[in-house]
Amino acid sequence: MSGTWSALLEEALGAGTGPAGPGPDAPPAAGGPAVERLAVREGEVVARVRGGFEVSLIRPVLSEDEWERACAALASQPVFRARLLAGELPPAVARVFSVLGLDLVPRGWAGLVATCSCDDWRGRCAHLAAAVAELGREADRDPFVLAAWCGRARRDLLARVAAVARDPEATEPAGGPDGNGHGNSDGDRNGDKAGTCAFDADTVAGFWSAPPLPCPFSAPSGVGARVRAAAPGALADEIPAFTRARV
């Protein structure tokens, strides 16, 4: 994994990535136009690029449930927990989000709505590239701007990680270990003792509805609370088990 946030952003959104690269006459990002102003808010990065061009990078924000999973995973790892509670957000955190199926850094341009006020419609313009480069520099100075872009302010993220660190049991979703009101001690799933979701094909509504998805995974009762808190379900064992900081 890249060693800086700017490198991660360059890898995901740098010049030439994705199906539509910069226009043929666009200068490289390193020598592109200067960014005069950059602001990061929930779901959007806005920038003013020299020449009066306005750039916007819009992304989906993470839901409350997704943030709960991410904070539980971070709090479960001693190194990440210590770094976060010290006010740091190391680039390796992006790997934890990725294992959970979440993106702290967008995976590519396909996950963004990117606009610029210039008239270059041949691809991503030099102004977008300049905004991404400036966002990378800002993230190296204060990586919590990426969390803000995803919908969680620095103080809220740190407060939630601290709360989970104090009380790991708080990470278990309300209603039972699987987060949907389903217990895992006797196989009872919404009153279905066989452990399968109810589906009545004899009714009109049942006939015209799609077959139900399998019931959510419930960890066996012997699985430790730390693992369940880290990432409920099959993703639990994939979280990198960091035990010491990399020198």
Side-chain angles (χ1 to χ4, degrees), residues 2-3 19 21 51 53 77 95 115 124 128 148 174 214 230 232 238:
S2 302
F53 300 105
Q77 301 292 326
R95 169 61 181 155
T115 63
R124 287 186 299 277
L128 288 171
E238 294 186 29

Side-chain angles (χ1 to χ4, degrees), residues 6-211:
S6 56
L8 289 175
L9 281 163
E10 171 64 24
E11 182 180 338
L13 303 174
T17 60
D25 299 324
V35 175
E36 299 175 342
R37 184 184 71 248
L38 183 109
V40 181
R41 56 199 184 205
E42 182 176 322
E44 185 179 21
V45 172
V46 292
R48 182 178 180 85
V49 181
R50 183 172 298 166
F53 300 105
E54 300 291 338
V55 169
S56 172
L57 301 170
I58 300 174
R59 62 159 299 162
V61 300
L62 301 183
S63 68
E64 286 299 316
D65 288 343
E66 289 170 334
W67 273 115
E68 284 295 309
R69 293 180 62 206
C71 290
L74 294 170
S76 75
Q77 301 292 326
V79 169
F80 291 139
R81 181 173 65 244
R83 297 283 295 274
L84 279 161
L85 296 183
E88 303 175 23
L89 191 67
V93 164
R95 169 61 181 155
V96 177
F97 277 76
S98 178
V99 166
L100 297 175
L102 309 174
D103 298 320
L104 191 57
V105 173
R107 299 187 187 186
W109 289 97
L112 300 177
V113 175
T115 63
C116 180
S117 61
C118 75
D119 57 1
D120 186 354
W121 296 94
R122 295 166 294 178
R124 287 186 299 277
C125 63
H127 312 108
L128 288 171
V132 169
E134 183 63 24
L135 176 62
R137 288 187 286 270
E138 181 62 25
D140 285 342
R141 291 188 293 266
D142 177 14
F144 289 95
V145 298
L146 296 176
W149 195 21
C150 290
R152 185 57 54 98
R154 171 187 176 126
R155 64 180 180 276
D156 296 332
L157 172 57
L158 297 183
R160 184 55 188 155
V161 171
V164 175
R166 289 193 301 269
D167 182 14
E169 294 301 322
T171 62
E172 183 171 286
D178 64 8
N180 290 286
H182 303 145
N184 63 0
S185 59
D186 59 2
D188 186 2
R189 307 289 187 92
N190 283 338
D192 189 348
K193 299 295 182 181
T196 57
C197 296
F199 178 67
D200 187 1
D202 293 332
T203 65
V204 174
F207 178 85
W208 289 109
S209 63

